[in-house]
Amino acid sequence: MAQIQITTRQDARDAVTSFFDALSASTLLQLANMLQRSSPDPEGLARKVLEAASDVGKVRTMPGTGLGNLVSARQGRARLDAITIDDDGSQWSDAETLGAGEMAAHLGVARTSLDNWRRAHKILALRKGVRNYVYPVRQFDRRAPLDGLDRVRHFFGDDAATWEWLVTSNRFTGDAQPLEWLRQGKIDDVVRAAEGALDYQ
């Protein structure tokens, strides 16, 4: 942890303020009571402050090299361009979808099975209108949903966001669509990628 340089009265005031901001209300109250005495005991006060600091939590030193060298705006854009892809935001929804009746017939299952899978988040259903859903065909393998869809959906909260993530190339899935990895049975790998996906949003 870098040591703060205190060269002015304001630096000292800021350092003390940031330290006291981290203390609990009860500790601050005890310190305030000690200061209100007609002749505060400096050693006792210092001891109390040190005890309070240990109560806040252990000071952690964060190793690292800092922010690195500054680059120009042009260099920054070039670096971002090198690690990002163009996405018009709509390609993910272009996948083949079928309505509930058509999908049930396509799979050869009862429509109630489709409804049960949807309610249990075993499959993803995209809203079409107020009450209707369409189902992406690629989320099924033969007559059943791909394993792991429910585990992935857990991290996104809704079916549309989950589907968009599943069909967008991802560097954590080898620049392949996570859906393709699910199809290959790499369920745990896809779940790990989904778990970290929102860290970078």
Side-chain angles (χ1 to χ4, degrees):
M1 180 180 287
Q3 191 167 4
I4 299 171
Q5 291 282 339
I6 298 177
T7 56
T8 67
R9 186 180 181 88
Q10 187 60 46
D11 291 342
R13 191 176 289 133
D14 292 344
V16 170
T17 301
S18 65
F19 173 78
F20 282 100
D21 282 347
L23 299 178
S24 69
S26 62
T27 302
L28 283 172
L29 186 59
Q30 290 174 355
L31 291 173
N33 286 333
M34 290 182 77
L35 287 169
Q36 287 178 358
R37 293 179 188 161
S38 56
S39 55
D41 171 25
E43 288 181 14
L45 184 59
R47 203 169 23 256
K48 200 68 169 167
V49 167
L50 291 173
E51 288 171 8
S54 66
D55 290 343
V56 169
K58 303 300 179 200
V59 175
R60 292 187 305 154
T61 300
M62 302 295 286
T65 57
L67 297 176
N69 297 328
L70 290 177
V71 297
S72 69
R74 184 178 56 78
Q75 290 171 314
R77 281 191 293 274
R79 289 185 183 185
L80 283 173
D81 287 344
I83 61 170
T84 56
I85 58 169
D86 289 331
D87 181 11
D88 66 9
S90 64
Q91 294 174 348
W92 66 272
S93 63
D94 292 341
E96 182 186 359
T97 58
L98 296 175
E102 294 171 300
M103 183 58 79
H106 176 75
L107 295 173
V109 299
R111 187 166 170 165
T112 53
S113 296
L114 206 61
D115 290 336
N116 291 338
W117 287 336
R118 176 178 52 79
R119 287 190 194 99
H121 303 302
K122 297 283 186 187
I123 60 174
L124 304 176
L126 308 177
R127 281 205 176 272
K128 184 178 182 183
V130 178
R131 294 184 180 166
N132 297 321
Y133 296 95
V134 292
Y135 299 87
V137 175
R138 292 175 57 203
Q139 68 181 314
F140 295 95
D141 183 24
R142 296 184 181 88
R143 299 177 62 182
L146 288 172
D147 287 334
L149 286 171
D150 53 338
R151 291 176 61 192
V152 171
R153 187 195 181 280
H154 168 77
F155 297 104
F156 296 93
D158 73 67
D159 291 4
T162 306
W163 184 250
E164 179 179 1
W165 184 81
L166 281 168
V167 296
T168 302
S169 298
N170 189 311
R171 67 188 180 103
F172 295 109
T173 52
D175 291 325
Q177 295 178 359
L179 184 68
E180 292 308 312
W181 274 30
L182 278 186
R183 298 187 79 78
Q184 295 168 26
K186 300 178 181 179
I187 298 168
D188 290 338
D189 294 322
V190 174
V191 169
R192 274 193 296 274
E195 185 176 15
L198 298 183
D199 293 344
Y200 302 98
Q201 298 289 325

